[in-house]
Amino acid sequence: MQRGELNCPLQYVKGVGPGLAKPLEKLGLHTLGDVLWHIPRRWEDRRTFVSIRNIRAAEPVTLRGRIRAVSSTRPKGKLTITKAILDDGVSSLSLVFFNQPYVEKALVAASSQNEDVIVYGVVKTDNLFALEMNSPEWEVAGQDSLSMNRIVPIYPLTEGVRQRTLRRLVMQALEVGSDEVAQVIPDEIRHRYRLLPAAEAFRSLHFPEDWEHRDHARRTLAFQEFLIIQTLAHFRRQRHTTGRQGIRMPVDLKRLTDELHEIVPFELTGAQRRAIQEIAADIGSGHAMNRLVQGDVGSGKTIVAVAAILMAVQNGCQAALMAPTEVLAQQHAFALQQLLEPIGIPIALATGSMTARARQAARNDLASGQARVGVGTHALIQEDTQFAKLGMVIIDEQHRFGVLQRQALGLKGDSPHILVMTATPIPRTVTLTMYGDLDSTIIDELPPGRRPVITHWRTNELRDRVYDGMRQMLDQGRQAYVVCSLIEESEALQAKSAMEMYAHMQNVVFPEYRVGLMHGQLKPDEKKAVMAQFKAHELDILVSTTVIEVGVDVPNASVMLIEDADRFGLAQLHQLRGRVGRGKHASYCILMATPKSAEGRARMEIMTHTSDGFKIADEDLRLRGPGEFFGTRQSGAMELKVGDLAADVELIEQCKEAAAAIAEQDPDLHLPQHQALRHLVQTGPQNIELAKVG
Ligand code: ADP
Ligand code: MG
């Protein structure tokens, strides 16, 4: 909640004006209040500087000195190299800039005016007689007290905005904010968890007196962010469990189990049985179910979905099953047809790429109620498909969906039960925040007889050996996947690389075997045909892009070879690996990779050492950070400025407690000390059906 001057558009703030307001807008800064939330990306300790002479190791340092001898060269093509000497009065080193032609002018100016500059970067220490720093950040030292003799914030910038400008603006905002900034964390909670008052937290975050103050401030503001999310989740959850009426669906578990027994050829695992019981209890209660089922790849979630579908159908309702990709939707439709049509339950597949006619037919069947189960992709939501009586919605592989779609879906039919299934184990912090409103079941048991996938990390030199191993497996009648290296630039390039790999595999490496090709640019019919061939063992090797990442199930496939595995995220590798080890045969996952970074090597090591999806998810979040982890798919779903999903487990749990305590004391958030919180819960970036709070 912003009042008064903090609400002032930046254009009208003293010293800004339209010229500066524009680039500030690019940084997402519209009002003075926004500036408070422009979090430094790091801080520099400019109370003391490192002496160039004392530099020993290649770690980031802040230096202060004068610039000499600026020069630029153009060794080849478009490359421009600018060099300068930084002299701190005792010793000196070279600064090297690549392709920053404008830097030269600025350096020359600093040098001719004999101004001190501050330089930040990593010194290359491989040649102790010629220290060098590549592409350092730097600024003219200047005299202003905000940039010198203290711990100085370094902000994310954009063209036309300088560090010093932002520091000045932030200070202005802090001065205004000291009276105005909203106290979102109620005092009682603030004392209990030893947090700072809001204004003080902002001040110490931007201009900390020392590192402890900075950390305390960070903790306070992260707490505030998580508290908003947890409060929101608390109310949504409460409404779901006590408020949202659902269709009461009594379930005869005995009968259901018998029926499942008829149609699937195996005994359910204990975990599957438990999940089914929980679902039955939910939907029998009269409240709408909102349940998240997490189970590692291969844990047998499909059967749980089948059980939920049966429950709905036996209660005279329809069910919808949504998958993130066409391939997966088709595969689900196929599997459900095999299982359910023999017992008189018709399935309709509706995807975005079907012919208009086929899609219309499917939609008619769903609208008339003739089809009892609808399977599809997003198209199922987007195209406003009507159901005669939709009672159960199952979303498979939730990590591909944003929260918003989940919400959109819930609006169809009258309060259908919602079951979200995910194979990507979700780090605990994320479950606590993004899925705080869902009940959760974890399927922590694999079907019996499953042997863990043996994972090897190999570099290119051993490629021949890897192919030999593959050939042995193929000779024994097994099948193999080969996943091409990840090319993020475009799907077309990705397809091209897959085609090349395919040609190489078929013509050069494995001419005696039948090789197939799968990539995102194939037409849906072609994809379907290739998958069917592979499943029927009319192909021995499937060269593919990551389109096979989720859900694909071919038990006879026992080798997964992943090219340039270090380019993939851990969760993605885990998903890919989960495509094998689904049958009774020993299975192998080969990671071909020559990682350049320590992080890349760490990821390969983790993959070879653990097959625990939850551990992998936590590591993934830790190594890559939430931005990368969620990628663009989840953008907007989780916008944390200070809070850190990878590190703040404890804080998130405290916030969950705090949110519950607040709700208990003041269920409608009507008390004056809760007004700021209430306001943010209603308008924050995570505002999802909030109107009913209070
Ligand atoms: P996921 O959880 O990855 O969706 P699936 O539902 O695709 O897993 O199941 C993986 C494989 O395990 C399938 O081939 C399925 O038929 C088999 N399966 C599932 N449950 C059992 C069980 N209880 N016993 C034996 N095999 C099972
Ligand atoms: Mg699945």
Side-chain angles (χ1 to χ4, degrees):
M1 188 163 31
Q2 288 171 18
R3 286 174 283 130
E5 279 188 71
L6 281 182
N7 261 333
C8 183
L10 282 170
Q11 174 172 0
Y12 305 114
V13 168
K14 192 167 128 251
V16 180
L20 184 56
K22 207 155 195 181
L24 287 172
E25 207 138 291
K26 272 211 199 114
L27 290 170
L29 306 177
H30 308 286
T31 65
L32 203 50
D34 293 342
V35 174
L36 287 178
W37 282 102
H38 194 58
I39 308 302
R41 71 190 154 77
R42 57 183 181 82
W43 292 257
E44 272 178 30
D45 192 341
R46 295 189 184 170
R47 295 172 296 188
T48 54
F49 293 94
V50 174
S51 163
I52 293 172
R53 180 183 265 174
N54 292 337
I55 294 172
R56 291 283 174 272
E59 54 194 18
V61 285
T62 308
L63 308 171
R64 176 178 185 161
R66 298 264 164 104
I67 293 292
R68 293 198 273 110
V70 183
S71 70
S72 283
T73 51
R74 217 155 282 189
K76 63 177 173 194
K78 286 190 181 136
L79 180 67
T80 306
I81 299 182
T82 305
K83 288 196 177 182
I85 302 290
L86 179 76
D87 187 334
D88 70 2
V90 180
S91 190
S92 63
L93 57 71
S94 316
L95 307 177
V96 185
F97 300 84
F98 302 95
N99 286 336
Q100 298 182 39
Y102 46 87
V103 151
E104 184 180 354
K105 223 164 106 192
L107 286 169
V108 167
S111 144
S112 62
Q113 285 160 23
N114 255 334
E115 285 175 303
D116 269 13
V117 297
I118 312 283
V119 172
Y120 172 87
V122 179
V123 177
K124 294 213 297 195
T125 48
D126 33 1
N127 183 351
L128 274 181
F129 297 99
L131 291 182
E132 194 175 292
M133 199 184 246
N134 282 349
S135 311
E137 293 178 31
W138 70 285
E139 62 184 83
V140 172
Q143 299 311 312
D144 73 299
S145 60
L146 294 182
S147 302
M148 204 47 72
N149 300 324
R150 57 158 77 226
I151 295 176
V152 177
I154 311 290
Y155 295 103
L157 292 183
T158 188
E159 211 179 317
V161 183
R162 296 186 312 157
Q163 290 295 352
R164 226 174 297 162
T165 313
L166 273 172
R167 284 175 206 138
R168 182 174 49 80
L169 254 184
V170 167
M171 192 42 95
Q172 261 170 282
L174 286 172
E175 274 157 17
V176 172
S178 66
D179 304 323
E180 284 194 12
V181 73
Q183 197 63 55
V184 176
I185 305 171
D187 284 343
E188 197 185 321
I189 301 286
R190 182 164 64 78
H191 293 307
R192 188 181 313 158
Y193 295 98
R194 297 181 201 292
L195 304 164
L196 295 170
E200 200 180 323
F202 279 114
R203 176 171 289 269
S204 287
L205 190 77
H206 289 285
F207 294 103
E209 215 167 279
D210 52 39
W211 299 115
E212 270 119 65
H213 278 78
R214 197 262 324 253
D215 294 343
H216 200 177
R218 204 200 75 79
R219 188 163 163 268
T220 300
L221 294 173
F223 193 100
Q224 173 169 331
E225 285 186 299
F226 288 125
L227 183 66
I228 295 165
I229 296 173
Q230 290 299 347
T231 305
L232 180 58
H234 185 89
F235 282 109
R236 290 211 325 240
R237 183 192 180 87
Q238 203 173 45
R239 194 164 63 251
H240 285 143
T241 48
T242 59
R244 195 165 82 101
Q245 286 296 313
I247 307 163
R248 183 186 300 278
M249 297 185 180
V251 177
D252 179 345
L253 270 175
K254 170 85 174 58
R255 181 175 150 216
L256 182 84
T257 316
D258 289 347
E259 221 155 28
L260 280 174
H261 217 102
E262 294 276 301
I263 58 177
V264 296
F266 42 71
E267 290 289 326
L268 298 182
T269 64
Q272 283 169 325
R273 235 175 279 136
R274 189 159 39 77
I276 290 170
Q277 276 162 15
E278 284 174 354
I279 293 167
D282 285 352
I283 67 175
S285 74
H287 300 300
M289 170 174 73
N290 263 282
R291 184 167 289 278
L292 172 69
V293 173
Q294 298 188 64
D296 217 340
V297 282
S299 62
K301 292 183 295 299
T302 310
I303 283 310
V304 174
V306 168
I309 290 171
L310 276 176
M311 295 178 203
V313 171
Q314 285 168 357
N315 277 281
C317 289
Q318 288 168 299
L321 173 59
M322 302 196 25
T325 66
E326 298 253 335
V327 172
L328 199 51
Q330 279 158 1
Q331 192 170 318
H332 273 318
F334 180 75
L336 291 182
Q337 271 155 8
Q338 302 290 305
L339 293 173
L340 298 178
E341 291 198 339
I343 57 170
I345 300 177
I347 315 290
L349 173 67
T351 63
S353 70
M354 284 164 49
T355 63
R357 204 168 187 201
R359 197 163 61 228
Q360 194 53 47
R363 290 173 59 178
N364 288 345
D365 287 352
L366 289 169
S368 72
Q370 200 190 353
R372 306 310 293 160
V373 184
V375 181
T377 56
H378 301 69
L380 211 60
I381 321 177
Q382 282 156 359
E383 289 197 359
D384 193 30
T385 304
Q386 298 296 322
F387 287 81
K389 189 167 192 223
L390 182 59
M392 172 76 66
V393 172
I394 301 166
I395 306 178
D396 194 15
E397 314 294 355
Q398 163 72 11
H399 71 295
R400 291 291 186 104
F401 288 92
V403 175
L404 288 174
Q405 275 139 332
R406 197 175 91 213
Q407 298 289 328
L409 201 84
L411 299 176
K412 286 202 176 297
D414 42 12
S415 268
H417 298 294
I418 296 178
L419 184 65
V420 175
M421 304 200 298
T422 172
T424 304
I426 304 175
R428 203 155 56 103
T429 51
V430 181
T431 318
L432 276 168
T433 48
M434 284 175 75
Y435 303 105
D437 59 324
L438 298 182
D439 296 309
S440 152
T441 301
I442 295 181
I443 301 192
D444 50 4
E445 184 184 355
L446 292 179
R450 212 45 83 64
R451 290 199 251 168
V453 179
I454 300 157
T455 302
H456 295 297
W457 164 27
R458 293 286 180 262
T459 53
N460 224 354
E461 298 86 71
L462 293 169
R463 184 170 287 277
D464 288 343
R465 288 297 309 274
V466 169
Y467 288 153
D468 287 344
M470 236 170 106
R471 193 167 282 113
Q472 269 184 39
M473 300 296 290
L474 294 166
D475 285 345
Q476 290 168 23
R478 300 288 81 72
Q479 289 163 278
Y481 297 99
V482 176
V483 175
C484 301
S485 65
L486 186 67
I487 301 174
E488 282 175 341
E489 285 77 13
S490 83
E491 201 164 332
L493 282 178
Q494 177 90 48
K496 180 161 168 279
S497 119
M499 280 183 256
E500 284 165 10
M501 172 65 78
Y502 162 75
H504 181 70
M505 283 293 181
Q506 181 67 87
N507 301 331
V508 183
V509 190
F510 294 109
E512 70 275 35
Y513 285 106
R514 298 160 299 180
V515 183
L517 171 66
M518 178 77 152
H519 59 71
Q521 304 236 301
L522 293 179
K523 297 209 186 70
D525 278 355
E526 297 171 320
K527 281 189 209 164
K528 193 174 170 183
V530 174
M531 262 342 284
Q533 276 182 307
F534 190 63
K535 198 151 187 166
H537 203 169
E538 289 159 24
L539 295 170
D540 303 294
I541 300 171
L542 187 63
V543 173
S544 172
T545 59
T546 52
V547 290
I548 57 149
E549 181 186 340
V550 280
V552 170
D553 185 28
V554 180
N556 189 48
S558 65
V559 181
M560 166 64 64
L561 173 67
I562 304 174
E563 294 289 342
D564 292 322
D566 55 321
R567 294 198 194 169
F568 294 83
L570 280 180
Q572 208 171 12
L573 289 173
H574 184 64
Q575 283 290 317
L576 287 168
R577 178 166 63 183
R579 299 306 110 216
V580 295
R582 309 189 135 234
K584 48 191 183 304
H585 313 288
S587 298
Y588 300 87
C589 174
I590 315 294
L591 309 169
M592 296 297 301
T594 312
K596 292 190 183 62
S597 67
E599 192 222 297
R601 286 187 288 275
R603 277 194 273 139
M604 296 305 99
E605 291 293 345
I606 291 165
M607 287 304 293
T608 53
H609 285 113
T610 179
S611 54
D612 178 337
F614 286 95
K615 218 185 252 171
I616 289 174
D618 283 343
E619 286 293 325
D620 203 23
L621 185 57
R622 196 177 58 75
L623 284 172
R624 290 197 299 161
E628 285 274 314
F629 182 83
F630 290 113
T632 47
R633 289 173 201 154
Q634 294 283 359
S635 63
M638 175 62 46
E639 271 198 56
L640 294 168
K641 300 251 192 222
V642 183
D644 178 353
L645 282 176
D648 289 335
V649 189
E650 210 176 314
L651 205 60
I652 293 172
E653 274 170 355
Q654 290 175 349
C655 287
K656 195 171 183 186
E657 274 170 22
I662 291 171
E664 181 161 348
Q665 182 198 7
D666 181 15
D668 296 325
L669 295 185
H670 277 153
L671 292 176
Q673 66 268 36
H674 297 148
Q675 289 319 295
L677 179 62
R678 177 192 160 96
H679 178 78
L680 281 170
V681 164
Q682 286 180 326
T683 60
Q686 297 87 4
N687 71 336
I688 301 159
E689 28 167 295
L690 301 163
K692 293 204 193 119
V693 177

